[in-house]
Amino acid sequence: MNLQEQKLVHVSAGPVELEGNLSLPSNASGIVLFAHGSGSSRHSPRNRFVAEQLQQAGLATLLIDLLTAEEEIADRSSGHLRFDIQLLAQRLGYVTDWLKQNPSSRALKIGYFGASTGAGAALLTAADHPQDVAAIVSRGGRPDLAGDALLRVKAPTLLIVGGEDHDVIRLNETALAQISGEKRLDIIPGATHLFEEPGTLEQVASLARQWFERYLISATAHPSSANFAKRNV
């Protein structure tokens, strides 16, 4: 599919400036904002693969680094910033506000795709911006890091976990019970935390695409299927 626009963007987030890659297909009907996880960035090959699949569905994407280059260097040795969910959520909120003001994206419904700790930040931000976020997908995420904010999440939420990622499955099951809106947990058999096994990342992308097509593109949601709480795929 031909992209109408694909460019590097800079977003002010309080005292710092964040860099991201914005892709806008022609006649985009929604946009997915990626919140990266522990030690990852907008250059993550896994998230870029998912983004490409979403673009083929007519969705715009914004892969953005929630940490500056200097912060990422410092975090490699300490690891403290990647677990600062309040900081990451605050910055995700700044980016969400930017999308709402940007002429090329302000008319689009916004979805979040969060990976690892980025999923916790996405859910916390969605709880604080209930009118701005239309759907959430978590890949191998740590939704538990959103804490009590899970009770305030209204956006339809899909949690995707690898079948061999046992500790994260338990964390996602607990989080699922707390989310009050439309929700589902999909477990991909044979997949580990990073979905490196053949075909497993393709399953993630397909599930994410279907979820975002339903809630960002379709005029009518399908609560009967979205309420199916847990399944193997």
Side-chain angles (χ1 to χ4, degrees):
M1 180 181 62
N2 293 327
L3 293 178
Q4 182 182 49
E5 186 178 10
Q6 188 167 25
K7 63 180 181 179
L8 178 69
V9 297
H10 297 86
V11 179
S12 294
V16 302
E17 187 173 78
L18 308 176
E19 287 190 348
N21 295 111
L22 176 66
S23 295
L24 280 167
S26 301
N27 302 315
S29 49
I31 186 164
V32 178
L33 173 54
F34 281 69
H36 308 293
S38 305
S40 188
S41 74
R42 71 181 191 276
H43 302 297
S44 160
R46 287 176 291 276
N47 282 346
R48 290 174 68 88
F49 175 81
V50 174
E52 290 170 0
Q53 304 308 303
L54 298 180
Q55 292 159 20
Q56 291 178 15
L59 291 162
T61 61
L62 176 57
L63 293 94
I64 196 160
D65 293 329
L66 297 178
L67 300 179
T68 66
E70 294 77 13
E71 288 171 338
E72 286 180 357
I73 292 172
D75 191 59
R76 286 172 194 160
S77 57
S78 67
H80 69 292
L81 290 175
R82 70 188 67 176
F83 285 99
D84 190 340
I85 302 302
Q86 293 288 341
L87 173 67
L88 299 177
Q90 181 185 54
R91 292 186 177 177
L92 196 59
Y94 276 114
V95 180
T96 301
D97 289 340
W98 181 85
L99 286 174
K100 290 165 55 186
Q101 297 165 9
N102 188 331
S104 61
S105 59
R106 63 189 178 194
L108 302 177
K109 287 185 177 181
I110 299 173
Y112 287 164
F113 183 95
S116 190
T117 56
L123 286 159
L124 177 54
T125 309
D128 291 338
H129 296 74
Q131 304 303 317
D132 299 332
V133 184
I136 304 166
V137 173
S138 163
R139 171 182 65 80
R142 290 289 308 276
D144 57 295
L145 295 176
D148 292 341
L150 290 171
L151 299 169
R152 297 186 285 112
V153 173
K154 304 300 183 185
T157 301
L158 173 64
L159 308 176
I160 306 173
V161 187
E164 300 303 313
D165 200 4
H166 303 295
D167 290 340
V168 175
I169 288 176
R170 286 190 287 271
L171 292 171
N172 275 258
E173 288 174 337
T174 301
L176 185 77
Q178 298 179 61
I179 296 171
S180 58
E182 302 287 354
K183 58 190 177 181
R184 195 175 79 208
L185 169 61
D186 282 355
I187 299 174
I188 298 180
T192 52
H193 185 63
L194 295 180
F195 298 90
E196 296 175 304
E197 294 73 24
T200 57
L201 189 59
E202 286 79 1
Q203 292 182 65
V204 170
S206 177
L207 290 168
R209 174 173 174 165
Q210 293 171 36
W211 196 259
F212 287 130
E213 284 180 331
R214 175 178 297 162
Y215 292 106
L216 301 187
I217 298 177
S218 299
T220 304
H222 305 281
S224 60
S225 60
N227 273 325
F228 187 52
K230 177 181 174 182
R231 64 176 188 171
N232 291 329
V233 296

